[in-house]
Amino acid sequence: PSTFQIKLFESTNTIEVHFGVVPIFFSYHSVGIEDPSGTVGLTYFYGDADLNGKAVRFSPPPAFVDKTVDDAFLDAGQAITYTITVHNNLPATALTGGVISDTLPAGVTFAGPITLDPPGAGTVGAPPAIVTGLTISPTQTITVTVPVTVDALPGGTTVTNTAEVGFLEDPGPFVAAASFKVSDCRARVQSTLV
Protein backbone atom coordinates (compact mmCIF):
# COMPACT_ATOMS: atom_id res chain seq x y z
CA PRO A 1 0.00 0.00 0.00
CA SER A 2 0.94 3.63 -0.53
CA THR A 3 1.01 6.23 2.22
CA PHE A 4 0.64 9.91 1.38
CA GLN A 5 -0.55 13.25 2.74
CA ILE A 6 -2.69 15.85 0.96
CA LYS A 7 -2.18 19.56 1.68
CA LEU A 8 -4.51 22.31 0.46
CA PHE A 9 -2.99 25.79 0.33
CA GLU A 10 -5.92 28.22 0.46
CA SER A 11 -3.72 31.28 -0.08
CA THR A 12 -2.55 30.00 -3.47
CA ASN A 13 -5.45 27.66 -4.35
CA THR A 14 -3.02 24.78 -4.87
CA ILE A 15 -3.00 21.14 -3.78
CA GLU A 16 0.14 19.28 -2.79
CA VAL A 17 0.52 15.49 -2.51
CA HIS A 18 3.36 14.28 -0.24
CA PHE A 19 4.35 10.64 -0.58
CA GLY A 20 5.59 8.50 2.29
CA VAL A 21 5.83 4.90 1.12
CA VAL A 22 5.12 4.09 -2.53
CA PRO A 23 5.63 0.63 -4.09
CA ILE A 24 7.87 0.59 -7.15
CA PHE A 25 5.75 0.24 -10.30
CA PHE A 26 7.55 -0.17 -13.63
CA SER A 27 9.50 3.00 -14.51
CA TYR A 28 7.20 5.82 -13.42
CA HIS A 29 4.28 6.81 -11.23
CA SER A 30 1.37 9.07 -12.01
CA VAL A 31 -0.73 11.30 -9.79
CA GLY A 32 -4.13 12.62 -10.83
CA ILE A 33 -6.93 14.78 -9.47
CA GLU A 34 -10.44 14.08 -10.76
CA ASP A 35 -12.89 16.74 -11.84
CA PRO A 36 -16.57 16.49 -10.74
CA SER A 37 -17.43 14.15 -13.62
CA GLY A 38 -14.80 11.61 -12.48
CA THR A 39 -12.36 12.41 -15.27
CA VAL A 40 -8.75 13.03 -14.32
CA GLY A 41 -8.39 16.74 -14.86
CA LEU A 42 -4.80 17.14 -13.64
CA THR A 43 -2.11 14.50 -14.05
CA TYR A 44 1.58 14.53 -13.32
CA PHE A 45 3.89 11.73 -14.42
CA TYR A 46 7.12 11.13 -12.54
CA GLY A 47 9.88 9.65 -14.70
CA ASP A 48 11.03 7.82 -11.60
CA ALA A 49 10.08 4.46 -10.14
CA ASP A 50 10.62 5.75 -6.59
CA LEU A 51 8.28 8.41 -5.20
CA ASN A 52 9.28 7.92 -1.56
CA GLY A 53 9.69 11.28 0.14
CA LYS A 54 8.67 13.27 -2.96
CA ALA A 55 5.80 15.70 -3.49
CA VAL A 56 3.66 16.88 -6.40
CA ARG A 57 1.88 20.28 -6.41
CA PHE A 58 -1.17 20.93 -8.58
CA SER A 59 -2.06 24.55 -9.44
CA PRO A 60 -5.25 25.55 -11.28
CA PRO A 61 -4.96 27.93 -14.23
CA PRO A 62 -5.32 31.57 -13.16
CA ALA A 63 -8.41 32.09 -15.33
CA PHE A 64 -11.42 30.05 -16.44
CA VAL A 65 -13.32 31.00 -19.61
CA ASP A 66 -16.74 29.81 -20.73
CA LYS A 67 -18.79 30.69 -23.81
CA THR A 68 -22.49 30.03 -24.52
CA VAL A 69 -25.31 31.14 -26.81
CA ASP A 70 -28.76 32.19 -25.62
CA ASP A 71 -31.05 30.12 -27.84
CA ALA A 72 -31.11 26.39 -28.51
CA PHE A 73 -32.86 26.61 -31.91
CA LEU A 74 -32.12 29.18 -34.60
CA ASP A 75 -33.38 30.34 -37.99
CA ALA A 76 -31.35 32.20 -40.61
CA GLY A 77 -31.54 35.91 -39.87
CA GLN A 78 -32.32 35.33 -36.20
CA ALA A 79 -30.55 37.47 -33.61
CA ILE A 80 -28.55 35.57 -30.98
CA THR A 81 -26.14 36.58 -28.25
CA TYR A 82 -22.85 34.93 -27.39
CA THR A 83 -22.03 35.22 -23.68
CA ILE A 84 -18.43 34.97 -22.52
CA THR A 85 -17.64 34.64 -18.82
CA VAL A 86 -14.14 34.94 -17.40
CA HIS A 87 -13.37 34.00 -13.79
CA ASN A 88 -10.21 34.84 -11.86
CA ASN A 89 -9.25 31.64 -10.01
CA LEU A 90 -6.55 33.38 -7.98
CA PRO A 91 -7.55 34.04 -4.35
CA ALA A 92 -5.28 37.04 -3.76
CA THR A 93 -4.02 38.36 -7.13
CA ALA A 94 -5.82 40.50 -9.69
CA LEU A 95 -5.49 39.67 -13.40
CA THR A 96 -4.66 42.85 -15.34
CA GLY A 97 -4.11 44.13 -18.87
CA GLY A 98 -6.49 41.50 -20.21
CA VAL A 99 -7.66 41.23 -23.81
CA ILE A 100 -10.69 39.22 -24.93
CA SER A 101 -10.47 38.35 -28.62
CA ASP A 102 -13.41 37.01 -30.62
CA THR A 103 -12.99 36.76 -34.39
CA LEU A 104 -16.47 36.07 -35.68
CA PRO A 105 -16.57 33.19 -38.19
CA ALA A 106 -18.31 33.10 -41.53
CA GLY A 107 -21.98 32.39 -40.89
CA VAL A 108 -22.69 35.13 -38.35
CA THR A 109 -22.76 38.93 -38.66
CA PHE A 110 -21.93 41.28 -35.80
CA ALA A 111 -25.03 43.16 -34.63
CA GLY A 112 -23.72 44.95 -31.51
CA PRO A 113 -23.50 46.58 -29.12
CA ILE A 114 -21.13 44.55 -26.92
CA THR A 115 -21.73 44.80 -23.16
CA LEU A 116 -19.31 44.25 -20.27
CA ASP A 117 -20.43 43.52 -16.70
CA PRO A 118 -19.17 45.13 -14.56
CA PRO A 119 -18.79 48.04 -17.02
CA GLY A 120 -15.61 49.45 -15.45
CA ALA A 121 -13.63 46.22 -15.73
CA GLY A 122 -12.22 47.12 -19.16
CA THR A 123 -12.77 48.96 -22.44
CA VAL A 124 -15.35 47.56 -24.87
CA GLY A 125 -14.37 47.46 -28.56
CA ALA A 126 -15.53 45.54 -31.63
CA PRO A 127 -14.51 42.13 -33.01
CA PRO A 128 -11.87 40.83 -32.91
CA ALA A 129 -10.59 42.76 -29.82
CA ILE A 130 -13.93 42.98 -28.02
CA VAL A 131 -12.49 43.98 -24.60
CA THR A 132 -9.09 45.50 -23.80
CA GLY A 133 -7.47 46.73 -20.59
CA LEU A 134 -9.42 44.13 -18.62
CA THR A 135 -8.84 43.86 -14.86
CA ILE A 136 -10.46 41.07 -12.83
CA SER A 137 -10.16 41.15 -9.04
CA PRO A 138 -9.34 37.97 -7.11
CA THR A 139 -12.17 35.39 -7.39
CA GLN A 140 -14.25 37.84 -9.48
CA THR A 141 -16.21 36.86 -12.61
CA ILE A 142 -16.90 39.22 -15.52
CA THR A 143 -19.44 38.74 -18.32
CA VAL A 144 -19.31 39.94 -21.94
CA THR A 145 -22.21 39.69 -24.41
CA VAL A 146 -21.75 39.78 -28.20
CA PRO A 147 -24.96 40.09 -30.27
CA VAL A 148 -24.88 38.62 -33.80
CA THR A 149 -27.33 37.51 -36.48
CA VAL A 150 -27.26 34.12 -38.18
CA ASP A 151 -26.60 34.25 -41.93
CA ALA A 152 -28.39 32.14 -44.54
CA LEU A 153 -26.34 28.92 -44.59
CA PRO A 154 -26.65 25.51 -46.31
CA GLY A 155 -28.21 22.74 -44.24
CA GLY A 156 -25.65 20.73 -42.26
CA THR A 157 -23.22 23.66 -41.88
CA THR A 158 -21.49 23.87 -38.49
CA VAL A 159 -20.36 27.29 -37.30
CA THR A 160 -17.89 27.47 -34.42
CA ASN A 161 -17.05 30.71 -32.65
CA THR A 162 -13.98 30.79 -30.39
CA ALA A 163 -13.01 33.39 -27.79
CA GLU A 164 -9.49 33.79 -26.42
CA VAL A 165 -8.40 35.64 -23.29
CA GLY A 166 -4.93 36.63 -22.10
CA PHE A 167 -3.51 38.75 -19.27
CA LEU A 168 -0.22 40.38 -18.40
CA GLU A 169 0.18 37.86 -15.56
CA ASP A 170 -0.47 34.92 -17.89
CA PRO A 171 -0.95 35.44 -21.65
CA GLY A 172 -2.64 32.04 -22.00
CA PRO A 173 -4.54 32.02 -24.20
CA PHE A 174 -7.51 30.77 -22.21
CA VAL A 175 -10.01 29.52 -24.77
CA ALA A 176 -13.72 28.65 -24.98
CA ALA A 177 -15.97 28.01 -27.99
CA ALA A 178 -19.64 27.72 -28.91
CA SER A 179 -20.98 26.18 -32.12
CA PHE A 180 -24.26 25.57 -33.91
CA LYS A 181 -25.23 23.26 -36.73
CA VAL A 182 -27.69 24.37 -39.39
CA SER A 183 -30.53 22.06 -40.43
CA ASP A 184 -32.80 22.60 -43.41
CA CYS A 185 -35.01 25.04 -41.50
CA ARG A 186 -33.44 25.33 -38.02
CA ALA A 187 -29.98 25.70 -36.48
CA ARG A 188 -29.32 23.74 -33.32
CA VAL A 189 -26.84 25.34 -30.90
CA GLN A 190 -24.23 23.40 -28.95
CA SER A 191 -21.85 24.88 -26.39
CA THR A 192 -18.43 23.34 -25.77
CA LEU A 193 -15.35 24.18 -23.70
CA VAL A 194 -11.93 23.95 -25.39
Side-chain angles (χ1 to χ4, degrees):
S2 300
T3 60
F4 57 91
Q5 180 184 50
I6 304 292
K7 293 183 179 180
L8 172 62
F9 296 85
E10 293 185 28
S11 62
T12 57
N13 220 15
T14 58
I15 297 172
E16 204 168 76
V17 182
H18 291 259
F19 294 94
V21 177
V22 181
I24 293 176
F25 180 72
F26 298 112
S27 61
Y28 65 87
H29 283 83
S30 65
V31 182
I33 297 177
E34 292 184 351
D35 62 19
S37 67
T39 303
V40 175
L42 294 168
T43 305
Y44 184 89
F45 288 94
Y46 255 111
D48 189 340
D50 185 6
L51 281 182
N52 291 322
K54 296 187 172 80
V56 177
R57 178 172 283 202
F58 295 95
S59 299
F64 172 79
V65 182
D66 189 25
K67 184 167 192 176
T68 61
V69 290
D70 65 348
D71 198 332
F73 296 94
L74 304 174
D75 293 312
Q78 182 175 341
I80 61 170
T81 300
Y82 289 110
T83 300
I84 302 163
T85 56
V86 186
H87 178 74
N88 180 352
N89 288 329
L90 301 177
T93 303
L95 295 171
T96 64
V99 176
I100 302 177
S101 299
D102 190 346
T103 301
L104 296 179
V108 296
T109 300
F110 179 61
I114 293 171
T115 65
L116 171 63
D117 184 28
T123 302
V124 174
I130 60 174
V131 178
T132 58
L134 181 64
T135 296
I136 307 179
S137 300
T139 72
Q140 181 187 23
T141 300
I142 64 95
T143 303
V144 179
T145 60
V146 183
V148 300
T149 54
V150 180
D151 299 339
L153 298 167
T157 301
T158 298
V159 177
T160 300
N161 180 222
T162 301
E164 296 186 354
V165 184
F167 297 92
L168 293 176
E169 292 76 13
D170 190 329
F174 306 98
V175 179
S179 63
F180 60 84
K181 186 172 184 179
V182 180
S183 65
D184 289 338
C185 59
R186 306 288 276 175
R188 182 168 182 86
V189 174
Q190 298 173 326
S191 179
T192 55
L193 290 180
V194 176

